[in-house]
Amino acid sequence: MREPRVLTAAEAILEAQDQALAADPAVFLMGEGAADPKGIFGTTAGLVDKYGPARVMEMPVSENGFTGIAVGAALMGRRPVVIHQRVEFCLLAMEQLFGNAAKAHYVSDGRHRAPLVVRLVAGRGWGQGPQHGQVLENLFALVPGLKLVLPAGPADAKGMLLAAIADDNPVIFLEHRWVHYVSGEVPEAPLPAPLDGPRRILAGGDVTVVAASYMTLETRHAAAALAAEGVAVDLFDLRVARPLVTDAIQESVRRTGRLLVVDTGWKTFGLGAEIVARVTESCFADMAAPPRRVGLPDHPTPSSRALAEAYYPRAEHVAGAIGALVGLPDARVAAVHATLAAERRQVPLDIPHPSFKGPF
Amino acid sequence: MNPAREPSDQELRDLYRAMLRIRLIEEEIAARYAEQEMRCPVHLSVGQEAAAVGACAALRPADQITSSHRCHGHYLAKGGDLRAMLAEIYGKAAGCCGGRGGSMHLFDPDAGVLASVPIVASSVPLAVGAALAFQQRAEDGVAVAFLGDGSLEEGVTHESLNFASRFHLPVVFFVENNFFSVYTPLDQRQPARPLAALAAAHGMPALEADGNDVLAVLKATKEAVADARAGAGPTLIVAETYRWREHCGPNYDNDLGYRTEDEFLAWKARDPVAAFAARLSELGAMTDTDSDAMAGAIGAEIDAAFGFAKAAPFPDGATAAERVYA
Ligand SMILES: Cc1ncc(C[n+]2csc(CCOP(=O)(O)OP(=O)(O)O)c2C)c(N)n1
């Protein structure tokens, strides 16, 4: 039997761009650092040597400007991939994203298309602090006309990035820095993964859980530990936050009567708030317990690992929320917590992976 | 008649005709605005016709322009469809945006009007992006960004100039300095230095042209466009001109006191359309009969276009949610 082909999500993203650049001369990359020696956490490493500086374009520090330039090129039929090393850098480009990218197709009554991808890397850990550690996925999910994609692992990272590049709409591709380190099997062929919404990654009948981006991984750990205590989670990886498709989630909630949403942003006004509201509107009568959310508390991201530990929910918190939803007795919740803490023991809480040595 | 003259008499008459047409269209919008059927903001370009016409006369159909909230003149000068423009202002399905944009979003992909955007300076990078597309495809197209003096205060303009210069892109930044951003005069917003001086900071040449002189504008734009087409990169053109009517709407607003009636009258005396008519008649390039015939034909076209726009059906409300995604 053939060995599985294992890549990290960062390597999968690199491979997707490499294959897209090779396949379509209209595709090009634009980013601060896209052609530098470190290549955006390795996700563009070597591409400038292969495709040249006209297709792997090093950018001036002009986020709004080059986003607008990318939109203009996209209107002319090019397929730019804009890359920001931190979500916060893209805040300077919201005017072009919310205005020109999101509305080009609508306001032109369908005549314009803006096939643009914006890759955003969300920071976490190693003291990233208040202005290098925000995900802000709800902000990017806000505006009709943009798509928002949240890969949680390497296969989707590659497949959904290929699909995003092939898509005729502006797609925000939000990469959690800790997802970059996740490894898994990735097919070599350039197979797009449809941007069609949530995917069930565990089947269970006790509780419906929707998780997004990196929190999908924490939730998977929680669900595995809960399984040992007899709790069966129907777990969805959200994958695409806009357009938001909740049909399968609703179908699940009608069976389980219980819903938890786990995202990477602030709980207040977060993706969880929207998903809970939408599902509750149609499934209220089937619900056996009030729906719940796990998200960040209402304060900025602190730098010190002592403070950050209190800030970020982990598998233990997710398990606690699920336990409360299904009425798991305290002693059995404690057993789940003990399992999860033991699994986590080797890796400090402020890094994604034992190999991680900072500084970003 | 001097057939060797450059531009030819016919070209001179075409320039005049294009300016007169914009003037008459804008005046007709102003005249009919009180009917309350054009239910969207309008930013008229009366007084600024020479800039739009002179600049667009230097372009080919496949070249691209971008504009701002004050886009009627640019759209028409580049060849944008009049009926689609008026239908858009009337909110009709036959509008260039199908009624989704209004007067500040005029575009016509067939005529090379890529986009108009009513967020100050927001369309400037779009023109640079169009120029990047031309360069990437090794085509000899040129993009022109029309911007106001106010746009020079926005960061994205400087980001766009920097980028265009760095990558030697075939784009012309055409600044119409009409001395006001809404009611705020230039000297309250910017230091006392020539606007054209900004070009040097971005490593590109600047040209200045009398924005009320269509031939001066044409000459400057031709030079900039020729450079851009030849791969020599971008140029900043600054043309001084004046908006006659209120910032937004059909009326005059000198009574507000943000500018003097004398200043307005001095600019009005330099009417770019009338001055050019006088010049052509002096040159013997246009007779009164010619200009009367032109005005008559344009008037008939405008009447027909308004008739079309007013009679055209509204879009079906049920389609408002369509075309969010391609
Ligand atoms: C980003 C932004 N800020 C403010 C406004 C409000 N506004 C509309 S038009 C305008 C004046 C802009 O002046 P200028 O660029 O010189 O163009 P003009 O109106 O003179 O043609 C302003 C400030 C806007 N539309 N967009």
Side-chain angles (χ1 to χ4, degrees), chain A residues 37-81:
Chain A
K38 290 200 169 173
I40 312 197
F41 310 113
T43 63
T44 61
L47 295 179
V48 69
D49 301 325
K50 199 163 167 188
Y51 298 99
R55 296 193 66 202
V56 181
M57 295 181 75
E58 190 56 42
M59 282 295 105
V61 191
S62 307
E63 293 78 12
N64 201 35
F66 69 72
T67 301
I69 290 162
V71 175
L75 296 181
M76 297 286 287
R78 312 302 291 171
R79 293 191 170 272
V81 179

Side-chain angles (χ1 to χ4, degrees), chain A residues 95, chain B residues 43-44 48 68-70 104 117-122 147-154 176-183 189 243 247:
Chain A
E95 182 265 314
Chain B
H43 299 79
L44 302 180
Q48 304 188 199
S68 64
H69 54 287
R70 202 174 305 287
M104 302 188 283
V117 182
I119 301 303
V120 170
S122 184
L147 52 157
D149 46 288
S151 303
L152 292 176
E153 291 145 35
E154 292 286 4
E176 280 168 79
N177 177 11
N178 65 11
F179 301 95
F180 291 91
S181 166
V182 191
Y183 311 124
R189 298 183 283 117
R243 148 174 72 74
H247 164 68

Side-chain angles (χ1 to χ4, degrees), chain A residues 294-333:
Chain A
V294 169
L296 297 171
D298 270 333
H299 62 80
T301 313
S303 174
S304 164
R305 61 191 191 276
L307 298 170
E309 188 173 334
Y311 179 67
Y312 286 111
R314 297 183 297 279
E316 291 92 312
H317 303 89
V318 177
I322 295 173
L325 257 177
V326 299
L328 196 66
D330 287 352
R332 290 167 67 196
V333 172

Side-chain angles (χ1 to χ4, degrees), chain A residues 50-338:
Chain A
K50 199 163 167 188
Y51 298 99
R55 296 193 66 202
V56 181
M57 295 181 75
E58 190 56 42
M59 282 295 105
V61 191
S62 307
E63 293 78 12
N64 201 35
F66 69 72
T67 301
I69 290 162
V71 175
L75 296 181
M76 297 286 287
R78 312 302 291 171
R79 293 191 170 272
V81 179
V82 167
I83 313 167
H84 298 287
Q85 304 209 21
R86 279 293 177 266
V87 170
E88 286 86 346
F89 309 161
C90 187
L91 294 179
L92 282 83
M94 298 311 267
E95 182 265 314
Q96 287 296 325
L97 279 183
F98 281 16
N100 293 333
K103 291 163 183 60
H105 187 66
Y106 186 81
V107 82
S108 67
D109 205 17
R111 292 189 72 181
H112 273 320
R113 276 154 200 254
L116 164 79
V117 176
V118 181
R119 284 185 49 208
L120 302 176
V121 181
R124 174 168 168 183
W126 204 264
Q128 296 299 300
Q131 300 226 36
H132 276 58
Q134 299 171 95
V135 185
L136 301 177
E137 71 271 45
N138 48 346
L139 192 58
F140 295 94
L142 198 62
V143 177
L146 298 179
K147 292 189 177 181
L148 173 60
V149 172
L150 304 160
D156 255 355
K158 178 175 175 184
M160 293 205 290
L161 184 52
L162 285 168
I165 294 171
D167 200 285
D168 274 347
N169 297 285
V171 181
I172 312 295
F173 190 84
L174 213 171
E175 302 160 23
H176 195 288
R177 183 73 183 103
W178 284 16
V179 170
H180 277 175
Y181 288 87
V182 177
S183 49
E185 187 169 2
V186 177
E188 185 162 13
L191 300 173
L195 308 181
D196 54 0
R199 189 144 298 166
R200 178 183 277 108
I201 55 173
L202 283 178
D206 295 328
V207 56
T208 305
V209 181
V210 182
S213 183
Y214 172 71
M215 289 311 285
T216 306
L217 301 158
E218 294 283 347
T219 303
R220 205 195 261 276
H221 288 308
L226 282 160
E229 295 296 324
V231 178
V233 175
D234 212 29
L235 176 58
F236 290 88
D237 173 8
L238 182 63
R239 296 177 75 249
V240 180
R242 188 179 269 277
L244 181 60
V245 180
T246 52
D247 302 357
I249 298 167
Q250 282 157 227
E251 183 278 324
S252 170
V253 169
R254 284 192 195 101
R255 279 190 290 108
T256 66
R258 293 177 167 83
L259 173 66
L260 170 72
V261 184
V262 187
D263 63 37
T264 51
W266 285 297
K267 184 171 157 183
T268 306
F269 293 111
L271 295 185
E274 175 59 29
I275 294 168
V276 161
R278 197 186 269 209
V279 175
T280 304
E281 276 172 341
S282 65
C283 300
F284 184 72
D286 301 300
M287 283 180 158
R292 286 185 167 244
R293 294 168 286 160
V294 169
L296 297 171
D298 270 333
H299 62 80
T301 313
S303 174
S304 164
R305 61 191 191 276
L307 298 170
E309 188 173 334
Y311 179 67
Y312 286 111
R314 297 183 297 279
E316 291 92 312
H317 303 89
V318 177
I322 295 173
L325 257 177
V326 299
L328 196 66
D330 287 352
R332 290 167 67 196
V333 172
V336 170
H337 279 172

